[in-house]
Amino acid sequence: MKIAIANDVAMAAEALRRVVASTQEHQVLWIARTGLEAVRMCEGNRPDLILMDLNMPEMDGVEATRLIMEQSPCAILVVTGRPQDNVNQVFRALGAGALDVTATPVLQGQVGGDSELLAKIKTIGKLIRHSAEAPSPRLVQANGERSDGQVTTLVAIGASTGGPSAVAKVLSGWTAPPGCAIVVVQHIDETFASHFAKWLDDQLDMPVRVIAEGDELVAGSVLVAKTNDHLLLDQNYRLGYDAAPRDYVYRPSVDVFFHCVAQHWRGDAIGVLLTGMGRDGGDGLLAMRRAGKTTIAQDQASSAVYGMPRAAAELDAAQQILPLDRIGASLRNRLGAKINNGGESSPNI
């Protein structure tokens, strides 16, 4: 891949250049010292991938990501010092269209920074080239007895690029009705899954928490997948994780969870597929539709990246294709959900 670097710290930019140059597969296309310079350089010489810092002069990485995705869209990986200390900026960047986040190797202060960065670059390369075909999901069932709770309706939401802000937008300003549980599968590294759940909890009027192995569905709550393994729902309505298929580039996979819902969930269910690069979720959404569940996909105009919803549209997997600002209203109309504060609120992003 042709990789660009946007970082105003000379030591950090050089560390990133050396990581890219250490492989035979990639080359550094250019280095920008500010977010504004990155936007301008991307217009004239668009790379396959940008390693984007968050804190830069003239224009920060969040605004640069937003403008690049509007004007010269390409894959963006946020690479910044101590991302765990900049959670709000990280999720604003992910909402603007960045694919993932990792720490700058020279600032990481631990062994393995280079290999972690290269692993993320390799994964993004697979997404860009569409070289990793998804095998049929293997549904490994978790142990446990069936829940005797009162969950009667399941809302399953899948998202990737641009997903954090899209999920917040869909779920903001209302509370799920009695008997309704919401599960979110967002493509995000497990290092940041708990941060994502905490950030989402700050945006919503419903409680949000990550899913532990063996958890049951919880009515009135938003449950978030928390590992790089695939989230499963078994015939006893227990949630769990499985690493297989190991070579599947999308982790956790929306397809795997949607297939579980289609196969095992006997109550009402709504599948929602939001913005994202690649094709994950389309096959699973089709399985849910064939199982008699309600299916919704985000439209092209409102998607940060129209990859996953496009796959669903091409498969005729979505009964409704809606702009982002109408998906939440559609859910409320179907569920009879309570609107809080007199209407739909805007997430703090």
Side-chain angles (χ1 to χ4, degrees):
M1 288 191 296
K2 296 179 179 179
I3 298 177
I5 297 168
N7 198 304
D8 68 309
V9 179
M11 182 182 298
E14 175 61 16
L16 295 174
R17 188 198 64 78
R18 290 183 181 181
V19 171
V20 174
S22 70
T23 75
Q24 298 292 326
E25 304 169 11
H26 314 300
Q27 61 175 297
V28 175
L29 189 62
W30 45 258
I31 298 176
R33 300 301 183 184
T34 73
L36 182 58
E37 185 180 7
V39 173
R40 291 171 176 168
M41 295 181 76
C42 199
E43 289 177 350
N45 195 4
R46 189 185 312 187
D48 298 310
L49 171 65
I50 302 176
L51 307 182
M52 180 74 73
D53 191 18
L54 288 176
N55 301 304
M56 292 180 288
E58 291 187 331
M59 180 184 294
D60 66 17
V62 175
E63 181 64 11
T65 296
R66 187 186 67 80
L67 288 177
I68 288 169
M69 294 306 293
E70 286 181 359
Q71 301 170 9
S72 312
C74 62
I76 296 175
L77 173 64
V78 173
V79 185
T80 191
R82 296 191 60 79
Q84 66 273 21
D85 293 341
N86 297 280
V87 171
N88 285 333
Q89 275 189 296
V90 165
F91 286 111
R92 286 173 58 211
L94 292 174
L99 285 168
D100 203 351
V101 58
T102 191
T104 310
V106 70
L107 301 177
Q108 195 170 29
Q110 61 184 23
V111 176
D114 292 6
S115 60
E116 180 178 340
L117 175 59
L118 287 173
K120 289 185 180 293
I121 290 173
K122 181 178 180 180
T123 297
I124 291 172
K126 290 181 180 180
L127 288 171
I128 293 172
R129 295 188 302 269
H130 301 282
S131 62
E133 295 297 328
S136 298
R138 181 169 69 88
L139 303 183
V140 178
Q141 297 168 357
N143 295 322
E145 299 300 322
R146 178 172 176 172
S147 167
D148 57 359
Q150 297 300 309
V151 177
T152 57
T153 302
L154 174 60
V155 177
I157 301 175
S160 185
T161 321
S165 60
V167 172
K169 178 70 174 177
V170 167
L171 298 179
S172 65
W174 61 282
T175 302
C180 177
I182 300 168
V183 175
V184 175
V185 179
Q186 164 72 43
H187 293 167
I188 192 168
D189 189 87
E190 60 187 359
T191 305
F192 262 79
S194 294
H195 292 292
F196 172 51
K198 174 63 172 63
W199 177 85
L200 192 59
D201 185 68
D202 290 340
Q203 314 301 317
L204 305 183
D205 296 308
M206 295 176 279
V208 181
R209 65 177 178 82
V210 294
I211 299 167
E213 179 72 31
D215 274 357
E216 297 180 345
L217 296 169
V218 180
S221 294
V222 179
L223 308 179
V224 176
K226 74 167 185 175
T227 79
N228 291 338
D229 292 335
H230 307 302
L231 180 67
L232 308 177
L233 177 74
D234 74 359
Q235 76 276 17
N236 296 313
Y237 300 167
R238 292 275 186 167
L239 296 160
Y241 296 95
D242 187 22
R246 293 181 181 275
D247 59 348
Y248 199 34
V249 66
Y250 310 107
R251 310 190 72 87
S253 167
V254 179
D255 266 333
V256 169
F257 186 70
F258 280 5
H259 274 287
C260 288
V261 175
Q263 180 175 346
H264 296 308
W265 183 255
R266 292 181 287 276
D268 293 333
I270 303 174
V272 181
L273 189 60
L274 301 176
T275 173
M277 179 179 286
R279 300 186 61 86
D280 189 29
D283 288 340
L285 199 70
L286 180 60
M288 288 186 63
R289 182 171 188 178
R290 288 174 173 171
K293 314 305 183 186
T294 300
T295 56
I296 302 170
Q298 188 174 348
D299 73 351
Q300 181 172 2
S302 66
S303 294
V305 176
Y306 192 56
M308 288 162 50
R310 182 197 297 275
E314 291 173 348
L315 293 169
D316 195 27
Q319 293 168 319
Q320 288 186 301
I321 297 177
L322 300 173
L324 183 63
D325 59 5
R326 288 181 54 196
I327 294 176
S330 179
L331 288 178
R332 294 194 298 270
N333 290 338
R334 291 175 180 274
L335 298 171
K338 176 184 176 183
I339 301 176
N340 302 324
N341 300 321
E344 186 172 356
S345 61
S346 298
N348 180 26
I349 54 179

